[in-house]
PDB file of all heavy atoms in Angstrom:
ATOM      1  N   THR A 459     210.917  62.600 -13.578  1.00 48.00           N
ATOM      2  CA  THR A 459     211.711  62.992 -14.729  1.00 48.00           C
ATOM      3  C   THR A 459     213.146  63.146 -14.275  1.00 48.00           C
ATOM      4  O   THR A 459     213.423  63.899 -13.364  1.00 48.00           O
ATOM      5  CB  THR A 459     211.198  64.316 -15.319  1.00 48.00           C
ATOM      6  OG1 THR A 459     209.844  64.149 -15.675  1.00 48.00           O
ATOM      7  CG2 THR A 459     212.004  64.673 -16.540  1.00 48.00           C
ATOM      8  N   GLU A 460     214.065  62.391 -14.863  1.00 47.00           N
ATOM      9  CA  GLU A 460     215.461  62.450 -14.509  1.00 47.00           C
ATOM     10  C   GLU A 460     216.287  62.698 -15.747  1.00 47.00           C
ATOM     11  O   GLU A 460     216.378  61.837 -16.623  1.00 47.00           O
ATOM     12  CB  GLU A 460     215.904  61.142 -13.822  1.00 47.00           C
ATOM     13  CG  GLU A 460     215.428  61.002 -12.400  1.00 47.00           C
ATOM     14  CD  GLU A 460     216.012  62.076 -11.493  1.00 47.00           C
ATOM     15  OE1 GLU A 460     217.117  62.540 -11.783  1.00 47.00           O
ATOM     16  OE2 GLU A 460     215.348  62.447 -10.524  1.00 47.00           O
ATOM     17  N   ARG A 461     216.862  63.930 -15.839  1.00 49.00           N
ATOM     18  CA  ARG A 461     217.758  64.294 -16.937  1.00 49.00           C
ATOM     19  C   ARG A 461     217.154  63.920 -18.285  1.00 49.00           C
ATOM     20  O   ARG A 461     217.762  63.297 -19.133  1.00 49.00           O
ATOM     21  CB  ARG A 461     219.108  63.585 -16.763  1.00 49.00           C
ATOM     22  CG  ARG A 461     219.865  64.112 -15.547  1.00 49.00           C
ATOM     23  CD  ARG A 461     221.257  63.511 -15.494  1.00 49.00           C
ATOM     24  NE  ARG A 461     221.988  64.051 -14.354  1.00 49.00           N
ATOM     25  CZ  ARG A 461     222.717  65.142 -14.409  1.00 49.00           C
ATOM     26  NH1 ARG A 461     222.818  65.831 -15.520  1.00 49.00           N
ATOM     27  NH2 ARG A 461     223.369  65.549 -13.345  1.00 49.00           N
ATOM     28  N   GLY A 462     215.881  64.291 -18.492  1.00 50.00           N
ATOM     29  CA  GLY A 462     215.244  64.103 -19.768  1.00 50.00           C
ATOM     30  C   GLY A 462     214.606  62.749 -19.951  1.00 50.00           C
ATOM     31  O   GLY A 462     214.003  62.467 -20.986  1.00 50.00           O
ATOM     32  N   ILE A 463     214.716  61.810 -18.965  1.00 53.00           N
ATOM     33  CA  ILE A 463     214.094  60.498 -19.070  1.00 53.00           C
ATOM     34  C   ILE A 463     212.806  60.529 -18.271  1.00 53.00           C
ATOM     35  O   ILE A 463     212.816  60.718 -17.055  1.00 53.00           O
ATOM     36  CB  ILE A 463     215.038  59.404 -18.528  1.00 53.00           C
ATOM     37  CG1 ILE A 463     216.320  59.370 -19.363  1.00 53.00           C
ATOM     38  CG2 ILE A 463     214.348  58.053 -18.571  1.00 53.00           C
ATOM     39  CD1 ILE A 463     217.333  58.383 -18.840  1.00 53.00           C
ATOM     40  N   VAL A 464     211.708  60.353 -18.945  1.00 52.00           N
ATOM     41  CA  VAL A 464     210.407  60.386 -18.277  1.00 52.00           C
ATOM     42  C   VAL A 464     210.060  58.963 -17.870  1.00 52.00           C
ATOM     43  O   VAL A 464     210.004  58.059 -18.685  1.00 52.00           O
ATOM     44  CB  VAL A 464     209.314  60.951 -19.220  1.00 52.00           C
ATOM     45  CG1 VAL A 464     207.982  60.968 -18.505  1.00 52.00           C
ATOM     46  CG2 VAL A 464     209.702  62.367 -19.641  1.00 52.00           C
ATOM     47  N   LYS A 691     226.035  69.304  -4.412  1.00 82.00           N
ATOM     48  CA  LYS A 691     225.278  69.339  -5.676  1.00 82.00           C
ATOM     49  C   LYS A 691     225.918  68.404  -6.708  1.00 82.00           C
ATOM     50  O   LYS A 691     225.211  67.680  -7.417  1.00 82.00           O
ATOM     51  CB  LYS A 691     225.245  70.771  -6.208  1.00 82.00           C
ATOM     52  CG  LYS A 691     224.564  70.950  -7.560  1.00 82.00           C
ATOM     53  CD  LYS A 691     224.556  72.401  -7.959  1.00 82.00           C
ATOM     54  CE  LYS A 691     223.992  72.591  -9.364  1.00 82.00           C
ATOM     55  NZ  LYS A 691     224.852  72.015 -10.401  1.00 82.00           N
ATOM     56  N   CYS A 692     227.245  68.411  -6.779  1.00 78.00           N
ATOM     57  CA  CYS A 692     227.924  67.539  -7.736  1.00 78.00           C
ATOM     58  C   CYS A 692     227.680  66.069  -7.413  1.00 78.00           C
ATOM     59  O   CYS A 692     227.427  65.277  -8.299  1.00 78.00           O
ATOM     60  CB  CYS A 692     229.433  67.839  -7.743  1.00 78.00           C
ATOM     61  SG  CYS A 692     229.870  69.448  -8.424  1.00 78.00           S
ATOM     62  N   GLU A 694     225.163  64.785  -5.711  1.00 83.00           N
ATOM     63  CA  GLU A 694     223.778  64.450  -5.991  1.00 83.00           C
ATOM     64  C   GLU A 694     223.534  64.369  -7.495  1.00 83.00           C
ATOM     65  O   GLU A 694     222.806  63.485  -7.958  1.00 83.00           O
ATOM     66  CB  GLU A 694     222.861  65.500  -5.347  1.00 83.00           C
ATOM     67  CG  GLU A 694     222.887  65.457  -3.827  1.00 83.00           C
ATOM     68  CD  GLU A 694     222.032  66.565  -3.217  1.00 83.00           C
ATOM     69  OE1 GLU A 694     221.590  67.439  -3.993  1.00 83.00           O
ATOM     70  OE2 GLU A 694     221.794  66.557  -2.005  1.00 83.00           O
ATOM     71  N   SER A 695     224.147  65.268  -8.226  1.00 81.00           N
ATOM     72  CA  SER A 695     224.003  65.248  -9.686  1.00 81.00           C
ATOM     73  C   SER A 695     224.593  63.976 -10.252  1.00 81.00           C
ATOM     74  O   SER A 695     224.034  63.369 -11.188  1.00 81.00           O
ATOM     75  CB  SER A 695     224.677  66.478 -10.302  1.00 81.00           C
ATOM     76  OG  SER A 695     224.592  66.431 -11.703  1.00 81.00           O
ATOM     77  N   ALA A 696     225.729  63.524  -9.707  1.00 79.00           N
ATOM     78  CA  ALA A 696     226.359  62.294 -10.199  1.00 79.00           C
ATOM     79  C   ALA A 696     225.457  61.102  -9.925  1.00 79.00           C
ATOM     80  O   ALA A 696     225.322  60.203 -10.766  1.00 79.00           O
ATOM     81  CB  ALA A 696     227.706  62.108  -9.543  1.00 79.00           C
ATOM     82  N   VAL A 697     224.824  61.070  -8.755  1.00 81.00           N
ATOM     83  CA  VAL A 697     223.929  59.964  -8.431  1.00 81.00           C
ATOM     84  C   VAL A 697     222.741  59.948  -9.378  1.00 81.00           C
ATOM     85  O   VAL A 697     222.348  58.892  -9.895  1.00 81.00           O
ATOM     86  CB  VAL A 697     223.444  60.063  -6.964  1.00 81.00           C
ATOM     87  CG1 VAL A 697     222.346  59.059  -6.678  1.00 81.00           C
ATOM     88  CG2 VAL A 697     224.603  59.857  -6.026  1.00 81.00           C
ATOM     89  N   ARG A 698     222.173  61.109  -9.608  1.00 83.00           N
ATOM     90  CA  ARG A 698     220.999  61.178 -10.499  1.00 83.00           C
ATOM     91  C   ARG A 698     221.406  60.862 -11.931  1.00 83.00           C
ATOM     92  O   ARG A 698     220.632  60.225 -12.663  1.00 83.00           O
ATOM     93  CB  ARG A 698     220.342  62.545 -10.404  1.00 83.00           C
ATOM     94  CG  ARG A 698     219.723  62.809  -9.041  1.00 83.00           C
ATOM     95  CD  ARG A 698     218.775  64.012  -9.048  1.00 83.00           C
ATOM     96  NE  ARG A 698     218.185  64.202  -7.745  1.00 83.00           N
ATOM     97  CZ  ARG A 698     217.089  63.578  -7.337  1.00 83.00           C
ATOM     98  NH1 ARG A 698     216.487  62.718  -8.130  1.00 83.00           N
ATOM     99  NH2 ARG A 698     216.596  63.803  -6.130  1.00 83.00           N
ATOM    100  N   ALA A 699     222.591  61.278 -12.344  1.00 79.00           N
ATOM    101  CA  ALA A 699     223.052  60.932 -13.693  1.00 79.00           C
ATOM    102  C   ALA A 699     223.248  59.417 -13.800  1.00 79.00           C
ATOM    103  O   ALA A 699     222.870  58.813 -14.807  1.00 79.00           O
ATOM    104  CB  ALA A 699     224.354  61.677 -14.013  1.00 79.00           C
ATOM    105  N   LYS A 700     223.843  58.816 -12.763  1.00 79.00           N
ATOM    106  CA  LYS A 700     224.027  57.377 -12.768  1.00 79.00           C
ATOM    107  C   LYS A 700     222.689  56.662 -12.779  1.00 79.00           C
ATOM    108  O   LYS A 700     222.484  55.669 -13.503  1.00 79.00           O
ATOM    109  CB  LYS A 700     224.848  56.950 -11.555  1.00 79.00           C
ATOM    110  CG  LYS A 700     225.149  55.450 -11.475  1.00 79.00           C
ATOM    111  CD  LYS A 700     226.092  55.030 -12.550  1.00 79.00           C
ATOM    112  CE  LYS A 700     226.471  53.552 -12.396  1.00 79.00           C
ATOM    113  NZ  LYS A 700     227.276  53.300 -11.202  1.00 79.00           N
ATOM    114  N   ALA A 702     219.878  57.848 -13.943  1.00 81.00           N
ATOM    115  CA  ALA A 702     219.269  58.040 -15.277  1.00 81.00           C
ATOM    116  C   ALA A 702     219.892  57.091 -16.286  1.00 81.00           C
ATOM    117  O   ALA A 702     219.201  56.516 -17.127  1.00 81.00           O
ATOM    118  CB  ALA A 702     219.441  59.492 -15.713  1.00 81.00           C
ATOM    119  N   ASN A1032     228.489  68.742 -16.242  1.00 86.00           N
ATOM    120  CA  ASN A1032     227.082  69.186 -16.173  1.00 86.00           C
ATOM    121  C   ASN A1032     226.827  70.107 -14.981  1.00 86.00           C
ATOM    122  O   ASN A1032     225.784  70.768 -14.941  1.00 86.00           O
ATOM    123  CB  ASN A1032     226.161  67.980 -16.100  1.00 86.00           C
ATOM    124  CG  ASN A1032     225.909  67.380 -17.454  1.00 86.00           C
ATOM    125  OD1 ASN A1032     226.311  67.926 -18.468  1.00 86.00           O
ATOM    126  ND2 ASN A1032     225.253  66.239 -17.504  1.00 86.00           N
ATOM    127  N   ASP A1033     227.699  70.112 -13.986  1.00 82.00           N
ATOM    128  CA  ASP A1033     227.494  70.980 -12.847  1.00 82.00           C
ATOM    129  C   ASP A1033     227.962  72.409 -13.125  1.00 82.00           C
ATOM    130  O   ASP A1033     227.444  73.350 -12.572  1.00 82.00           O
ATOM    131  CB  ASP A1033     228.220  70.449 -11.609  1.00 82.00           C
ATOM    132  CG  ASP A1033     227.715  69.078 -11.201  1.00 82.00           C
ATOM    133  OD1 ASP A1033     226.474  68.945 -11.065  1.00 82.00           O
ATOM    134  OD2 ASP A1033     228.522  68.137 -11.071  1.00 82.00           O
ATOM    135  N   TRP A1049     215.039  71.576 -19.807  1.00 90.00           N
ATOM    136  CA  TRP A1049     214.530  71.174 -21.121  1.00 90.00           C
ATOM    137  C   TRP A1049     213.035  71.356 -21.242  1.00 90.00           C
ATOM    138  O   TRP A1049     212.511  71.468 -22.349  1.00 90.00           O
ATOM    139  CB  TRP A1049     214.922  69.717 -21.401  1.00 90.00           C
ATOM    140  CG  TRP A1049     214.248  68.699 -20.525  1.00 90.00           C
ATOM    141  CD1 TRP A1049     214.667  68.241 -19.324  1.00 90.00           C
ATOM    142  CD2 TRP A1049     213.035  68.006 -20.814  1.00 90.00           C
ATOM    143  NE1 TRP A1049     213.803  67.310 -18.847  1.00 90.00           N
ATOM    144  CE2 TRP A1049     212.792  67.140 -19.726  1.00 90.00           C
ATOM    145  CE3 TRP A1049     212.130  68.020 -21.884  1.00 90.00           C
ATOM    146  CZ2 TRP A1049     211.674  66.288 -19.691  1.00 90.00           C
ATOM    147  CZ3 TRP A1049     211.016  67.184 -21.812  1.00 90.00           C
ATOM    148  CH2 TRP A1049     210.801  66.333 -20.731  1.00 90.00           C
ATOM    149  N   ARG A1178     223.530  71.410 -24.424  1.00 95.00           N
ATOM    150  CA  ARG A1178     223.147  71.485 -23.013  1.00 95.00           C
ATOM    151  C   ARG A1178     222.289  72.713 -22.732  1.00 95.00           C
ATOM    152  O   ARG A1178     221.425  72.707 -21.877  1.00 95.00           O
ATOM    153  CB  ARG A1178     224.406  71.490 -22.175  1.00 95.00           C
ATOM    154  CG  ARG A1178     224.209  71.662 -20.679  1.00 95.00           C
ATOM    155  CD  ARG A1178     223.778  70.414 -20.029  1.00 95.00           C
ATOM    156  NE  ARG A1178     223.861  70.522 -18.570  1.00 95.00           N
ATOM    157  CZ  ARG A1178     223.023  69.948 -17.733  1.00 95.00           C
ATOM    158  NH1 ARG A1178     222.036  69.204 -18.180  1.00 95.00           N
ATOM    159  NH2 ARG A1178     223.168  70.078 -16.443  1.00 95.00           N
ATOM    160  N   MET A1252     218.849  69.212 -25.138  1.00 94.00           N
ATOM    161  CA  MET A1252     218.987  69.365 -23.695  1.00 94.00           C
ATOM    162  C   MET A1252     218.717  68.063 -22.952  1.00 94.00           C
ATOM    163  O   MET A1252     219.275  67.833 -21.866  1.00 94.00           O
ATOM    164  CB  MET A1252     218.036  70.460 -23.197  1.00 94.00           C
ATOM    165  CG  MET A1252     218.389  71.843 -23.641  1.00 94.00           C
ATOM    166  SD  MET A1252     217.380  73.116 -22.849  1.00 94.00           S
ATOM    167  CE  MET A1252     218.045  73.067 -21.190  1.00 94.00           C
ATOM    168  N   ARG A1253     217.895  67.215 -23.508  1.00 91.00           N
ATOM    169  CA  ARG A1253     217.564  65.963 -22.835  1.00 91.00           C
ATOM    170  C   ARG A1253     218.656  64.893 -23.007  1.00 91.00           C
ATOM    171  O   ARG A1253     218.676  63.920 -22.286  1.00 91.00           O
ATOM    172  CB  ARG A1253     216.224  65.410 -23.362  1.00 91.00           C
ATOM    173  CG  ARG A1253     215.045  66.276 -23.002  1.00 91.00           C
ATOM    174  CD  ARG A1253     213.756  65.787 -23.651  1.00 91.00           C
ATOM    175  NE  ARG A1253     213.373  64.488 -23.153  1.00 91.00           N
ATOM    176  CZ  ARG A1253     212.261  63.853 -23.552  1.00 91.00           C
ATOM    177  NH1 ARG A1253     211.475  64.408 -24.446  1.00 91.00           N
ATOM    178  NH2 ARG A1253     211.980  62.652 -23.065  1.00 91.00           N
ATOM    179  N   GLN A1254     219.562  65.090 -23.950  1.00 92.00           N
ATOM    180  CA  GLN A1254     220.614  64.122 -24.156  1.00 92.00           C
ATOM    181  C   GLN A1254     221.744  64.336 -23.146  1.00 92.00           C
ATOM    182  O   GLN A1254     222.047  65.454 -22.761  1.00 92.00           O
ATOM    183  CB  GLN A1254     221.142  64.225 -25.588  1.00 92.00           C
ATOM    184  CG  GLN A1254     220.112  63.819 -26.635  1.00 92.00           C
ATOM    185  CD  GLN A1254     220.575  64.023 -28.061  1.00 92.00           C
ATOM    186  OE1 GLN A1254     221.550  64.726 -28.289  1.00 92.00           O
ATOM    187  NE2 GLN A1254     219.852  63.441 -29.011  1.00 92.00           N
ATOM    188  N   ASP A1255     222.333  63.231 -22.705  1.00 90.00           N
ATOM    189  CA  ASP A1255     223.364  63.274 -21.662  1.00 90.00           C
ATOM    190  C   ASP A1255     224.749  63.226 -22.322  1.00 90.00           C
ATOM    191  O   ASP A1255     225.143  62.236 -22.908  1.00 90.00           O
ATOM    192  CB  ASP A1255     223.184  62.058 -20.732  1.00 90.00           C
ATOM    193  CG  ASP A1255     224.193  62.076 -19.602  1.00 90.00           C
ATOM    194  OD1 ASP A1255     224.857  63.137 -19.384  1.00 90.00           O
ATOM    195  OD2 ASP A1255     224.362  61.047 -18.913  1.00 90.00           O
ATOM    196  N   SER A1257     227.491  64.122 -20.361  1.00 91.00           N
ATOM    197  CA  SER A1257     228.362  64.270 -19.197  1.00 91.00           C
ATOM    198  C   SER A1257     229.464  63.203 -19.226  1.00 91.00           C
ATOM    199  O   SER A1257     229.586  62.406 -20.159  1.00 91.00           O
ATOM    200  CB  SER A1257     227.543  64.126 -17.919  1.00 91.00           C
ATOM    201  OG  SER A1257     227.088  62.793 -17.763  1.00 91.00           O
ATOM    202  N   THR A1259     229.598  60.695 -17.125  1.00 88.00           N
ATOM    203  CA  THR A1259     229.130  59.484 -16.451  1.00 88.00           C
ATOM    204  C   THR A1259     229.453  58.227 -17.257  1.00 88.00           C
ATOM    205  O   THR A1259     230.101  57.297 -16.780  1.00 88.00           O
ATOM    206  CB  THR A1259     227.632  59.575 -16.169  1.00 88.00           C
ATOM    207  OG1 THR A1259     227.367  60.759 -15.405  1.00 88.00           O
ATOM    208  CG2 THR A1259     227.159  58.355 -15.412  1.00 88.00           C
TER     209      THR A1259
END
Side-chain angles (χ1 to χ4, degrees):
T459 302
E460 284 297 331
R461 293 186 178 271
I463 298 177
V464 179
K691 176 178 175 293
C692 291
E694 293 177 350
S695 177
V697 171
R698 294 194 178 275
K700 181 68 176 293
N1032 279 352
D1033 299 309
W1049 68 271
R1178 176 78 169 145
M1252 292 188 71
R1253 293 174 65 179
Q1254 294 175 345
D1255 182 14
S1257 69
T1259 303

